[in-house]
């Protein structure tokens, strides 16, 4: 690279997981990146508060065409490899225990139906791994799934509530550790200017460029760029609308609690368990880094079909958050009794929530809800304005590199 060549300027709106990874990738390719974030720190919202599962398609069994499973598996196989382009990370230090999948009584699918889907996921995993020559999380060569016998179910969950339990080799990673490392990387990069506490209000076409309108410390301002990427989450649709761009289909924003409890755990203390198929919940055992717990019927507290999600984070008092945690714990402990054996103090609990943006405006208790499919993701371009539906945490690193390939016109692997 000619270091004396003028740097190409680009604005990235939103310093969540995707915005930061894309900024790092483009900066490494010679771009001068202005990265805007409305909050006080990068990577502290959706990519920080969720369970960190690196999906292998198993939860998307209601997508009968396997589109979502394939999207997730492709992203999962690249996840750690591509993160290592920007940060130092040892996957063995941040992964959870392997996931079980519990088919809840009243599930939208029978155990036999989900078993067929799991087999298809396992087959595609092999095909994709052979194609990409990458291991899952740089550790695992195959997706193994086995159904527990009736006598084994009780060791994982309450058989009163479960029709079947499947043992898998799917994992989560601790997203807070990744967030911290990405934050360090973006703050240290000489070709990235990070603007915090800066709310994007509009983008307008100026003919010779795109003007980004924003407020910083309540003061309005604007800056013109040759190219703009909208990688926001809450504000994606509202900013697109200022450019006259409508979403391709109906959508929804949801607010979901993903409670963390910071106590050291042994493998046998708690299963990492996702309950399917429908509006249920999950637990994640991160060993020394604690646990994650959610129960959807109580924890999904917000729903909006507006262009911008409400400021849900500011709407709950500490007492209200603890109430959601306690009620969620009570319900999920009926299904996973080992939760009752865990000892923790109030100060160990982080009852946080995050916004989920997705195509579809029917909730997950309906089999035909579009929320059961998450494959219509990626970047849409309108001239030099690009808007990105991130989809899921799993695909962020792969999507960031793909975006950089399209923007730069150079395909790097």
């Amino acid at each position: 690279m000619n270091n004396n060549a003028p740097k190409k300027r680009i604005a990235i709106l939103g310093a969540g997981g995707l915005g930061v990874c894309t900024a790092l990738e483009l900066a490494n390719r010679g771009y001068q990146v202005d990265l805007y974030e409305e909050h006080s720190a990068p990577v502290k919202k959706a990519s920080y508060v969720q369970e960190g599962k690196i999906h292998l398609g198993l939860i998307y069994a209601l997508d009968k065409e396997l589109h979502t499973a394939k999207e997730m598996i492709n992203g999962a196989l690249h996840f750690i490899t591509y993160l290592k382009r920007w940060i130092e990370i040892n996957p063995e230090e941040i992964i959870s225990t392997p996931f079980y999948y519990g088919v809840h009584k009243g599930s939208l699918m029978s155990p036999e139906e989900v078993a067929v889907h799991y087999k298809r996921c396992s087959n595609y995993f092999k095909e994709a791994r052979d194609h990409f020559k990458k291991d899952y999380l740089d550790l695992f060569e195959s997706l193994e799934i086995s159904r527990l016998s009736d006598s084994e179910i009780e060791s994982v969950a309450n058989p009163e509530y479960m029709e079947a339990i499947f043992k898998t080799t799917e994992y989560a990673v601790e997203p807070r550790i990744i967030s911290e490392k990405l934050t360090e990387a973006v703050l240290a990069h000489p070709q990235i200017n990070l603007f915090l506490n800066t709310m994007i209000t509009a983008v307008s076409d100026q003919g010779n460029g795109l003007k980004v309108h924003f407020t910083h410390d309540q003061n309005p301002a604007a800056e013109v760029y040759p190219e703009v990427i909208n990688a926001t989450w809450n504000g994606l649709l509202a900013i697109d609308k200022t450019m006259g761009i409508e979403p391709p289909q109906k959508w929804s924003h949801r607010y979901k609690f993903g409670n963390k409890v910071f106590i050291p755990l042994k493998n046998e203390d708690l299963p990492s368990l996702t309950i399917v198929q429908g509006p249920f919940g999950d637990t994640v055992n991160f060993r020394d880094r604690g646990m994650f717990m959610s129960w959807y019927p109580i924890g999904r507290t917000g729903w909006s079909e507006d262009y911008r999600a409400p400021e849900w984070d500011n709407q709950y008092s500490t007492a209200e958050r603890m109430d959601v945690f306690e009620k969620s714990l009570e319900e999920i402990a009926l299904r996973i009794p080992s939760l009752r054996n865990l000892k923790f103090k109030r100060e160990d609990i982080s009852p946080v929530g995050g916004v989920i943006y997705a195509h579809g405006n029917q909730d997950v208790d309906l089999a035909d809800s579009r929320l059961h499919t998450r494959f219509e993701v990626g970047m849409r371009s309108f001239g030099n304005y690009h808007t990105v539906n991130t989809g899921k945490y799993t695909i962020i690193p792969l999507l960031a590199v793909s975006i950089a390939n399209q923007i730069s016109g150079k395909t790097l692997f």
Side-chain angles (χ1 to χ4, degrees):
M1 184 188 300
N2 180 2
N3 291 328
N4 295 319
K7 296 181 175 64
K8 296 162 281 188
R9 291 182 74 233
I10 192 166
I12 297 179
L13 317 180
L18 179 67
V20 164
C21 289
T22 305
L24 289 166
E25 183 67 18
L26 284 171
N28 287 347
R29 298 191 192 196
Y31 281 78
Q32 185 67 49
V33 181
D34 284 357
L35 179 60
Y36 291 88
E37 172 55 45
E38 66 182 80
H39 298 106
S40 59
V43 205
K44 285 294 186 290
K45 292 298 177 179
S47 292
Y48 183 81
V49 302
Q50 40 86 46
E51 86 278 15
K53 182 187 286 188
I54 307 305
H55 285 275
L56 293 175
L58 303 180
I59 202 169
Y60 295 104
L62 283 160
D63 180 355
K64 304 298 178 62
E65 302 301 317
L66 216 67
H67 294 313
T68 307
K70 289 180 178 179
E71 188 79 35
M72 295 301 122
I73 291 168
N74 292 345
L77 287 171
H78 290 82
F79 187 86
I80 288 293
T81 302
Y82 278 7
L83 270 183
K84 287 178 178 178
R85 299 165 83 97
W86 315 304
I87 59 176
E88 291 184 7
I89 198 85
N90 181 356
E92 292 178 302
E93 294 178 354
I94 60 169
I95 63 171
S96 67
T97 58
F99 272 89
Y100 292 90
Y101 273 71
V103 182
H104 199 281
K105 290 183 178 177
S107 166
L108 296 172
M109 298 180 76
S110 69
E112 291 69 32
E113 288 173 316
V114 298
V116 169
H117 174 75
Y118 296 167
K119 178 63 175 174
R120 293 176 73 197
C121 289
S122 183
N123 290 342
Y124 181 75
F125 180 100
K126 183 180 185 307
E127 178 186 329
R129 181 183 175 274
D130 289 346
H131 175 75
F132 293 119
K133 312 297 185 195
K134 296 181 186 298
D135 292 337
Y136 174 52
L137 301 176
D138 280 4
L139 297 172
F140 306 105
E141 298 179 356
S142 62
L143 170 56
E144 303 293 336
I145 303 166
S146 58
R147 182 172 177 173
L148 301 190
S149 67
D150 289 345
S151 61
E152 292 173 316
I153 289 177
E154 196 169 356
S155 66
V156 177
N158 185 350
E160 234 182 276
Y161 291 89
M162 300 296 166
E163 290 193 40
I165 300 281
F166 294 84
K167 186 178 182 179
T168 82
T169 52
E170 184 182 72
Y171 292 81
V173 296
E174 173 48 88
R176 298 184 182 213
I177 301 300
I178 293 173
S179 167
E180 290 167 9
K181 290 179 176 290
L182 286 173
T183 297
E184 291 170 5
V186 82
L187 290 174
H189 205 295
Q191 289 179 207
I192 299 175
N193 299 313
L194 177 61
F195 299 94
L196 299 172
N197 301 307
T198 305
M199 168 77 78
I200 306 300
T201 55
V203 179
S204 60
D205 193 339
Q206 300 296 297
N208 62 340
L210 294 163
K211 181 179 281 189
V212 175
H213 305 260
F214 56 89
T215 59
H216 178 72
D217 293 334
Q218 300 183 332
N219 297 312
E223 185 72 29
V224 176
Y225 295 91
E227 205 149 12
V228 173
I229 299 172
N230 182 3
T232 59
W233 191 235
N234 298 19
L236 181 75
L237 303 185
I239 296 169
D240 284 353
K241 191 173 175 59
T242 67
M243 281 287 292
I245 298 166
E246 292 289 334
Q249 55 186 273
K250 293 179 179 179
W251 71 91
S252 60
H253 294 98
R254 291 171 285 161
Y255 192 76
K256 177 186 170 186
F257 276 76
N259 307 281
K260 297 295 288 283
V261 181
F262 297 102
I263 55 170
L265 297 174
K266 297 176 182 176
N267 288 11
E268 61 272 18
D269 287 341
L270 180 73
S272 294
L273 173 64
T274 295
I275 303 173
V276 294
Q277 195 75 39
F280 301 114
D282 46 19
T283 54
V284 188
N285 181 341
F286 283 112
R287 303 183 178 92
D288 288 345
R289 301 187 189 279
M291 77 163 188
F292 173 96
M293 179 275 293
S294 71
W295 182 247
Y296 192 87
I298 293 170
R300 201 282 284 153
T301 59
W303 181 282
S304 172
E305 294 170 38
D306 293 337
Y307 282 88
R308 183 180 175 89
E311 294 298 321
W312 280 310
D313 273 336
N314 301 325
Q315 293 180 7
Y316 298 93
S317 67
T318 300
E320 288 169 328
R321 290 182 176 279
M322 288 302 299
D323 186 57
V324 171
F325 170 81
E326 288 165 1
K327 289 178 178 176
S328 297
L329 179 63
E330 182 181 350
E331 281 296 322
I332 203 164
L334 294 174
R335 283 88 179 164
I336 309 173
S338 56
L339 274 167
R340 297 197 190 98
N341 300 327
L342 302 181
K343 306 298 181 187
F344 49 85
K345 301 173 184 176
R346 191 180 182 90
E347 54 265 32
D348 298 323
I349 304 166
S350 177
V352 294
V355 175
I356 306 169
Y357 161 70
H359 292 156
N361 63 348
Q362 293 179 300
D363 212 346
V364 295
D365 56 336
L366 300 174
D368 60 353
S369 168
R370 293 298 298 273
L371 300 181
H372 295 299
T373 63
R374 299 295 287 276
F375 64 91
E376 294 166 307
V377 297
M379 186 168 76
R380 294 191 297 153
S381 296
F382 302 84
N384 284 345
Y385 178 83
H386 315 279
T387 177
V388 188
N389 176 8
T390 306
K392 295 292 288 183
Y393 186 72
T394 298
I395 69 171
I396 281 177
L398 177 57
L399 183 55
V401 174
S402 174
I403 290 168
N405 286 342
Q406 293 176 67
I407 295 293
S408 68
K410 296 179 181 178
T411 299
L412 302 181
F413 296 99

